[in-house]
């Protein structure tokens, strides 16, 4: 069993598709074992995306991520990190496969509805950025 962190970003909350995003994971047998709605401060968004701090889109991305509430969740399943990224689709919705969350709902490369960790190391770091073991019901 593996865990990953997913986030319904402010555009997904704004479009009122929190439930649709979660359904896309649950329909594939992925379990939600932790979940919370919160608003990221700019500082907290910057900390979360610190690996991208030198990218030209860092300020825009962290402004966007702190522009409204998000839903953070811990997901569990076999090979869940890769499977969640597959269900999300490519970062750029124009390149995302048909039927993926980003293909169906995202408006652009930044406002792309959903986050998913990209490696076991980053999943562990990202989960602990938002959740203590007590908040997780695996
Ligand atoms: P992800 O793992 O597919 O989410 O993509 P990355 O880790 O590469 O980027 C993190 C997030 O930054 C993406 O989900 C987008 O919201 C945003 N992002 C990535 N590339 C770009 C870009 O070229 N321009 C802008 N404005 N935002 C980007
Ligand atoms: Mg990433």
């Amino acid at each position: 069993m593996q865990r990953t962190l997913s986030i319904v970003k402010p555009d997904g909350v704004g479009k009122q598709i929190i439930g649709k995003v979660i359904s896309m994971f649950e329909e594939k047998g992925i379990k939600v074992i932790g979940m919370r709605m919160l608003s990221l401060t700019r500082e907290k968004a910057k900390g979360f995306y610190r690996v991208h701090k030198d990218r030209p889109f860092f300020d825009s991305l962290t402004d966007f991520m702190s522009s409204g509430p998000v839903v953070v969740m811990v997901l569990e399943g076999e090979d869940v990190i890769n499977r969640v990224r597959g269900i999300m689709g490519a970062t750029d919705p124009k390149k995302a496969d048909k039927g993926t969350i980003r293909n169906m709902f995202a408006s652009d490369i930044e406002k792309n509805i959903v986050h998913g960790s990209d490696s076991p190391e980053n999943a562990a770091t990202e989960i602990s950025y938002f959740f203590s073991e007590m908040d997780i019901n695996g």
Side-chain angles (χ1 to χ4, degrees):
M1 275 302 167
Q2 195 177 55
R3 289 177 178 181
T4 193
L5 183 90
S6 181
I7 305 178
V8 182
K9 297 184 180 186
D11 57 335
V13 175
K15 287 179 176 173
Q16 297 181 228
I17 54 167
I18 299 167
K20 286 196 171 110
V21 171
I22 295 172
S23 284
M24 303 246 327
F25 297 139
E26 290 190 328
E27 279 161 9
K28 294 282 155 60
I30 292 167
K31 278 179 74 175
V32 179
I33 60 167
M35 182 158 65
R36 200 158 89 249
M37 186 177 231
L38 57 93
S39 294
L40 290 170
T41 61
R42 270 195 106 235
E43 287 317 304
K44 187 102 179 171
K46 284 181 174 180
F48 182 74
Y49 276 120
R50 61 193 173 279
V51 293
H52 293 312
K53 68 177 165 43
D54 296 324
R55 302 285 197 93
F57 57 81
F58 184 67
D59 283 347
S60 174
L61 170 63
T62 51
D63 276 351
F64 162 56
M65 289 300 291
S66 56
S67 67
V70 299
V71 175
V72 293
M73 56 193 147
V74 183
L75 303 176
E76 186 178 72
E78 239 169 85
D79 195 28
V80 74
I81 294 172
N82 285 323
R83 285 173 58 222
V84 161
R85 289 189 64 91
I87 295 164
M88 286 164 41
T91 309
D92 182 351
K94 292 201 274 300
K95 296 177 185 156
D97 289 341
K98 220 169 177 316
T100 60
I101 294 171
R102 284 164 166 173
N103 164 261
M104 293 194 293
F105 303 118
S107 56
D108 63 68
I109 192 167
E110 181 175 278
K111 294 173 182 64
N112 60 6
I113 305 289
V114 68
H115 167 84
S117 311
D118 65 3
S119 69
E121 296 70 34
N122 288 339
T125 309
E126 291 177 3
I127 289 168
S128 64
Y129 198 72
F130 293 108
F131 294 90
S132 70
E133 200 54 39
M134 254 176 47
D135 304 321
I136 301 173
N137 304 277

